[in-house]
């Protein structure tokens, strides 16, 4: 049955639809246009002076336009939240949401760009041609394994940060929570063995990042079992991953790898049987991050784990990317960084973990997205790391 406005009945009364009507964002001027003098400065003839100056000295674009304060949020709609390949138009509510999170939590302007192509080369060429308008590119909800190549090739061609949040934002927040969980229980990262469920964008990035941070070992499982060199069905990305991870050369199922493991990290959307969680080492950490249904229900995880985290806002210890990406980009833009390095990401994770400070507890290993200390701390750490690594230009 339709409503009087021609909408499906349930949509007419759903608060989510009410909030989204007309979109969630708009462009707002930062200067007034009150009279002809204002108009002549903001547009012609005054604008010509600024254009000519930038033509003579291209670096002035950062000072006299919004370029250094704005990020392109780019997607092709192929891996949207838990919805999958729903296309560019259907992805727009998510991209708008991402843009307002940039502004709300990092003070960074962002523009949603949902592209009408899924071709890797076309996406890269499109973003390269749009790049002069932006200070950074946030890739969003692009399916694996194409997302890895797209990010790598874009960063090779552009001199502005390119950051796939599904990979690196998730990895930063996961490492921050893991650092604090280890600190809480008096264990160094180097003594921990982790098992990751999911070998997509997030799982691959988390595995590599944890190794960069010095974890003892990490094994990754996909739908067919543990990623290991003896498998003949691996993609190039997974083959590289097999060479970096699983140092003890485990094979077989995810469940078998969890026996004696210190950490479970779920980014797969599957379900892990309770006996597998029960077989983990005493005082284990369970980060079941699938939404809306964690791989392990928190009530079950708490029976066996000392620290439990999820991707949901209605449980403690939410692993939420909004804790990372606004501050990461704010810091990078602040110093006009040419890229986001591993050192900048590690600095972001450490700063995020440090926000918790003396309040550290089993149900508080990661701050709330609404903690006003988060974005300034991450921003400052990322900016300092960019300068230390030689990628800052101011």
């Amino acid at each position: 049955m339709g409503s009087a406005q021609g909408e499906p009945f349930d949509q007419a009364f759903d608060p989510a639809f009410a909030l989204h009507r007309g979109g969630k964002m708009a462009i707002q001027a930062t200067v007034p246009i009150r009279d002809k003098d204002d108009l002549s400065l903001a547009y012609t003839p005054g604008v010509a002076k600024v254009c000519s100056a930038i033509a003579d000295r291209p670096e002035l674009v950062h000072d006299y336009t919004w370029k250094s304060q704005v990020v392109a949020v780019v997607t092709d709609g192929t891996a949207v939240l838990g919805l999958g390949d729903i296309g560019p138009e259907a992805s727009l509510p998510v991209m708008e949401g991402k843009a307002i999170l940039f502004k709300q939590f990092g003070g960074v302007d962002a523009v949603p760009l949902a592209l009408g192509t899924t071709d890797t080369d076309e996406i890269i060429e499109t973003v390269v041609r749009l790049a002069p308008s932006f200070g950074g590119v946030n890739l969003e909800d692009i399916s694996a394994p194409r997302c890895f190549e797209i990010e790598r090739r874009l960063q090779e061609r552009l001199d502005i940060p390119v950051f796939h949040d599904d990979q690196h934002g998730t990895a930063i927040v996961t490492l921050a929570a893991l650092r604090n969980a280890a600190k809480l229980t008096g264990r160094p990262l180097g003594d921990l063995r982790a098992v990751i469920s999911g070998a997509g964008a997030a799982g691959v990035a988390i595995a590599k990042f944890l190794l960069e941070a010095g974890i003892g070992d990490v094994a990754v499982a996909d739908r067919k079992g543990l990623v290991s060199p003896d498998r003949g069905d691996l993609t190039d990305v997974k083959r590289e991953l097999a060479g970096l991870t699983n140092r003890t050369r485990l094979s077989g199922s995810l469940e078998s790898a969890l026996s004696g493991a210190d950490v479970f990290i779920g980014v797969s959307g599957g379900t892990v049987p309770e006996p597998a969680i029960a077989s983990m080492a005493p005082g284990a950490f369970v980060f079941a991050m699938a939404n809306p249904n964690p791989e392990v229900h928190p009530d079950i995880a708490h029976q066996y784990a000392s620290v439990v985290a999820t991707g949901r806002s209605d449980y403690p210890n939410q692993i939420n990317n909004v804790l990372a990406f606004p501050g990461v980009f704010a810091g990078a833009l602040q110093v006009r960084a040419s890229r986001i390095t591993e050192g900048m990401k590690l600095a972001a994770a450490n700063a995020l973990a440090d926000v918790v400070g003396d309040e550290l507890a089993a149900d508080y290993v990661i701050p709330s997205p609404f903690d006003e200390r988060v974005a300034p701390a991450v921003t400052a750490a990322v900016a300092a790391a960019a300068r230390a690594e030689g990628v800052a230009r101011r």
Side-chain angles (χ1 to χ4, degrees), residues 113-163:
L113 297 174
L115 305 184
T117 178
T118 60
D119 181 84
T120 295
D121 291 334
E122 288 183 359
I123 291 171
I124 292 166
E125 293 302 324
T126 300
V127 175
V128 167
R129 282 160 175 72
L130 289 167
S133 296
F134 299 98
V137 176
N138 184 87
L139 299 175
E140 191 74 22
D141 293 349
I142 298 173
S143 62
R146 296 175 311 120
C147 59
F148 303 110
E149 180 182 357
I150 290 169
E151 182 189 44
R152 176 183 57 78
R153 288 173 57 188
L154 279 174
Q155 190 62 85
E156 288 172 353
R157 294 184 60 178
L158 299 177
D159 65 347
I160 58 175
V162 179
F163 184 85

Side-chain angles (χ1 to χ4, degrees), residues 1-22 93:
M1 174 183 289
S3 70
Q5 291 76 31
E7 299 178 62
F9 184 80
D10 58 341
Q11 294 181 18
F13 297 97
D14 189 315
F17 283 89
L19 182 142
H20 282 79
R21 177 171 287 282

Side-chain angles (χ1 to χ4, degrees), residues 21 27 30 37 45 56 66 82 85 92 94 190 197 203-205 218 223 257 283 287 293 331 336 367 379 382 386:
R21 177 171 287 282
I27 292 176
T30 60
D37 291 334
D56 291 337
W66 77 338
D85 185 356
L92 269 176
V94 177
S197 174
V204 170
V218 56
R223 291 183 182 88
F287 293 2
N293 299 312
R336 296 179 188 167
T379 298
V382 169

Side-chain angles (χ1 to χ4, degrees), residues 178 189-194 207 210-211 213-218 247 263:
L178 184 59
L189 279 180
D191 288 351
L192 300 179
R193 179 171 71 85
L210 293 184
L211 290 171
I215 196 168
D217 194 13
V218 56
R247 293 165 180 162
V263 185

Side-chain angles (χ1 to χ4, degrees), residues 5 75 91 107 109-110 131 147 156 231-232 243 246 253 262 283 291 294 298 304 330 340-341 353 357 359 384 389-390:
Q5 291 76 31
T75 189
S91 78
D109 289 302
C147 59
E156 288 172 353
R231 282 181 47 184
N246 195 6
S253 67
D262 303 290
N291 259 322
Y304 309 102
I340 294 170
T341 65
E359 302 169 74
E389 300 221 322

